[in-house]
């Protein structure tokens, strides 16, 4: 990406002049910072309203992350980063991109949860060297949970003699 940005800056600089190219880069950085600040404050106000109503500001959190990325892109010198930053600053495109990202993240969270059929502790050892195994399962995959009491005394259980 940096190589493409530099090549584009050099190409544009050769066409319109170096100082004009630098001026455009600086102007887009200032304009981008202004719009990121404006949209960020608007998003923060919406998030605070939702929290006061007892709701989770999920969309506003996604918007805030995208605005932070947009801010970094907008102040990074280059035309491609500016275009990507503008797409993240504009509410219409930000919501479209956010919906796509959320859909992708939901799919990744569901498909890569990291738990196997025996549960999260299957095959792990506890501090005493015992193995955790998944509990009895119903055919639909539910785990029955329960408690137990170790009724052995210290004479028959060598771990308790320490």
């Amino acid at each position: 990406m940096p190589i493409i940005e530099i090549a584009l800056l050099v190409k544009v600089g050769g066409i319109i002049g170096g100082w004009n190219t630098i001026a455009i880069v600086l102007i887009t950085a200032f304009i981008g910072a202004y719009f990121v600040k404006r949209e960020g404050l608007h998003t923060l106000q919406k998030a605070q309203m939702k929290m006061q109503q007892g709701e989770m500001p999920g969309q506003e959190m996604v918007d805030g992350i995208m605005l932070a990325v947009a801010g970094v892109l907008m102040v990074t010198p280059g035309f491609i980063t500016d275009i990507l930053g503008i797409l993240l600053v504009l509410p219409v495109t930000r919501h479209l991109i956010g919906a796509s990202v959320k859909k992708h993240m939901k799919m990744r969270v569901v498909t890569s949860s990291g738990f196997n059929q025996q549960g999260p502790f299957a095959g792990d050892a506890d501090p005493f060297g015992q193995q955790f195994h998944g509990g009895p399962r119903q055919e639909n995959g539910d785990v029955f949970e329960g408690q137990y009491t170790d009724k052995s005394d210290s004479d028959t259980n060598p771990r308790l003699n320490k």
Side-chain angles (χ1 to χ4, degrees):
M1 188 67 156
I3 294 171
I4 296 170
E5 286 283 12
I6 291 170
L8 187 59
L9 285 169
V10 169
K11 184 75 169 173
V12 171
I15 295 171
I16 65 170
W19 290 111
N20 290 335
T21 303
I22 292 171
I24 290 172
V25 168
L26 291 174
I27 290 169
T28 59
F30 285 116
I31 291 172
Y34 168 76
F35 281 112
V36 167
K37 179 181 176 183
R38 189 185 78 172
E39 289 296 316
L41 289 173
H42 180 69
T43 301
L44 179 63
Q45 289 172 346
K46 287 189 336 189
Q48 288 175 339
M49 266 184 15
K50 278 193 172 182
M51 286 190 293
Q52 287 174 353
Q53 296 169 353
E55 297 177 35
M56 180 68 170
Q59 180 63 44
E60 288 74 17
M61 290 169 51
V62 172
D63 283 349
I65 291 169
M66 288 194 298
L67 286 169
V69 170
V72 170
L73 290 171
M74 294 296 290
V75 298
T76 303
F79 296 114
I80 298 171
T81 54
D82 287 346
I83 291 169
L84 294 174
I86 288 169
L87 290 175
L88 290 176
V89 168
L90 297 174
V92 174
T93 53
R94 184 174 64 239
H95 292 303
L96 291 174
I97 294 169
S100 176
V101 167
K102 282 196 306 188
K103 180 181 175 186
H104 179 71
M105 292 304 291
K106 283 181 185 176
M107 294 297 289
R108 289 188 62 92
V109 169
V110 169
T111 59
S112 64
S113 62
F115 296 123
N116 59 19
Q117 286 294 335
Q118 296 175 339
F121 302 110
D124 293 341
D126 75 357
F128 298 113
Q130 295 177 331
Q131 295 290 318
F132 293 116
H133 299 286
R137 296 189 172 276
Q138 295 179 349
E139 289 188 22
N140 65 1
D142 291 341
V143 176
F144 291 101
E145 294 187 24
Q147 296 179 348
Y148 75 94
T149 304
D150 187 3
K151 300 239 181 205
S152 62
D153 61 346
S154 63
D155 294 341
T156 60
N157 192 341
R159 284 186 292 143
L160 298 175
N161 287 331
K162 294 181 182 178

